[in-house]
Amino acid sequence: MDATAIHEALVACFPGAIGGLETAGDPAVRVRPADVLAVATHLKADPALAFDCLSNQSGVDQPKRDQIEIVYHLFSYAHGHALAMKVGVPRDNPRLATVSTVWRAAIWQEREIFDLLGVDFLGHPDLRRILLPEDWVGHPLRKDYVEPTEYHGISTKRESLL
């Protein structure tokens, strides 16, 4: 099934929840945040779509849009088709339902997004930092992040290797 047919199928099942089809780069659809879990469940469970693989999930800070965008790269081994799903959440209250109940790979990827961008994935079974210490302040992939000069008395400044 091509991206246009997938988009049309989603619009028919979730009227008002699916934005336009983006074709620059990987085909992508925008999904309303409140509907992300229902759409994800449908993308995996519908035999005509069968997106059984969440190959990557990432977050992008978009301060000009005042959003953090969560991007899900999906693939169907049964059909050989791919699609990206994008969901924007507000930067000042980045909360979104977890999709870890649909694709278990999301457990690790959502922990990384939580750690580096501060997105709270509601219903996540183990949402805690994965790369930084638990008492680290802030989320380093936010564009307005300012690195602290030290951590527990240890300088965070490094000599240039160049």
Side-chain angles (χ1 to χ4, degrees):
M1 185 180 289
D2 68 14
T4 301
I6 294 168
H7 177 255
E8 290 172 357
L10 289 174
V11 169
C13 284
F14 300 95
I18 308 296
L21 177 64
E22 297 177 7
T23 56
D26 294 334
V29 295
R30 291 200 175 276
V31 175
R32 189 170 50 199
D35 299 300
V36 66
L37 183 56
V39 172
T41 301
H42 180 77
L43 286 167
K44 184 175 181 183
D46 184 330
L49 301 175
F51 283 103
D52 51 349
C53 178
L54 172 64
S55 59
N56 188 38
Q57 182 179 355
S58 60
V60 181
D61 190 10
Q62 302 280 0
K64 289 181 182 172
R65 294 192 313 206
D66 201 25
Q67 285 188 334
I68 294 175
E69 185 173 78
I70 310 302
V71 183
Y72 307 80
H73 290 270
L74 307 172
F75 185 76
S76 169
Y77 282 98
H79 301 298
H81 56 221
L83 183 73
M85 178 172 72
K86 298 180 177 180
V87 181
V89 294
R91 291 183 86 236
D92 64 344
N93 187 20
R95 301 165 54 106
L96 188 64
T98 181
V99 296
S100 64
T101 55
V102 179
W103 300 288
R104 292 192 51 79
I107 292 173
W108 297 100
Q109 297 175 48
E110 288 176 351
R111 282 184 61 189
E112 184 175 329
I113 296 166
F114 166 75
D115 193 3
L116 300 178
L117 288 163
V119 176
D120 185 7
F121 289 96
L122 305 174
H124 191 283
D126 187 23
L127 194 61
R128 58 190 163 98
R129 289 190 180 270
I130 191 168
L131 298 172
L132 295 166
E134 284 293 328
D135 62 346
W136 192 266
V137 176
H139 306 283
L141 285 187
R142 286 193 173 221
K143 300 246 168 60
D144 56 358
Y145 177 77
V146 177
E147 182 178 347
T149 57
E150 65 177 38
Y151 173 73
H152 292 286
I154 302 169
S155 174
T156 60
K157 300 294 179 199
R158 294 163 296 283
E159 294 294 324
S160 173
L161 298 176
L162 301 176

